[in-house]
Amino acid sequence: LRPKFDSTGLPYPPTELAYVVFKDDAKLDIYSRADATTAWRRVHTYPILGMSGHVGPKLRQGDMQVPEGIYRAESLNPNSRFHLAIRLNFPNDSDRSRAKSDGRAQLGSDIMIHGSTASIGCLAMGDQAAEDLFILVALAGKENVEIIIAPSDFRTNPIEIPGDSPPWLAELYRDIKSALTRFP
């Protein structure tokens, strides 16, 4: 991906990364910036080859849902049974707080961005894309990687909340929409 960083005028290896996922379009956009004072720029887009569930948040272990929210890269697994994997910090503090208010337990875990095309709640990118994404996280440092998973691109699509949704979903979607405004 070095030529893609070079063509956007961004440093390689990257210093700060964001992976922005749109579930309805089954795509992952890579954004980067030189430092906290510069604007984010899109570097590349990958199709998501496998993603289980539907638009909507992950509520419990085994629901086969890809979560929605703002996450961090928690760890890297070079020995994943799905080639390589980037583990998300799901459930994060927001997920746990919402679950507690709902009286939910066993939220699930082990949400990954990985190779292959099979998914049971993860984002399966195919092996080559997983390698590219994995290496970028390794180069930037996992503490410098944000992962936003949105049901749709709220910058261009209105937020739609299904009637049977949890009461906190509108707030989560506003938070995601606000986070997305930083990216062109």
Side-chain angles (χ1 to χ4, degrees):
L1 290 176
R2 181 182 206 122
K4 293 185 183 301
F5 278 83
D6 290 345
S7 71
T8 59
L10 291 165
Y12 187 90
T15 54
E16 210 172 334
L17 289 169
Y19 293 167
V20 179
V21 172
F22 299 111
K23 289 169 69 172
D24 62 348
D25 291 335
K27 72 176 187 174
L28 182 152
D29 290 333
I30 300 171
Y31 286 89
S32 187
R33 65 182 181 176
D35 58 55
T37 65
T38 59
W40 289 96
R41 294 186 197 155
R42 188 170 48 149
V43 176
H44 191 61
T45 299
Y46 284 107
I48 298 169
L49 303 183
M51 178 174 48
S52 61
H54 50 80
V55 168
K58 181 170 186 59
L59 298 176
R60 66 185 104 8
Q61 183 175 326
D63 65 5
M64 309 290 279
Q65 278 291 99
V66 172
E68 294 172 353
I70 302 165
Y71 299 98
R72 305 301 295 183
E74 186 175 83
S75 62
L76 297 171
N77 181 358
N79 299 309
S80 168
R81 64 183 176 132
F82 298 103
H83 192 55
L84 299 169
I86 303 163
R87 181 186 176 124
L88 280 61
N89 70 328
F90 176 88
N92 63 19
D93 291 342
S94 295
D95 296 316
R96 284 190 285 281
S97 174
R98 289 182 176 111
K100 184 177 181 181
S101 72
D102 290 350
R104 289 182 289 117
Q106 298 184 7
L107 305 181
S109 60
D110 294 330
I111 302 298
M112 314 277 179
I113 298 171
H114 61 65
S116 179
T117 59
S119 169
I120 53 171
C122 297
L123 300 168
M125 305 301 299
D127 291 351
Q128 183 58 58
E131 287 179 23
D132 294 347
L133 297 166
F134 184 96
I135 289 168
L136 288 177
V137 173
L139 290 171
K142 65 183 191 292
E143 65 280 358
N144 297 314
V145 181
E146 181 178 38
I147 301 163
I148 300 170
I149 304 176
S152 187
D153 188 347
F154 295 146
R155 298 170 300 184
T156 56
N157 298 327
I159 297 174
E160 294 184 27
I161 309 292
D164 61 345
S165 298
W168 46 261
L169 190 60
E171 178 187 3
L172 173 63
Y173 284 0
R174 281 192 301 272
D175 291 347
I176 292 171
K177 181 178 183 179
S178 178
L180 291 175
T181 61
R182 296 179 288 142
F183 304 99

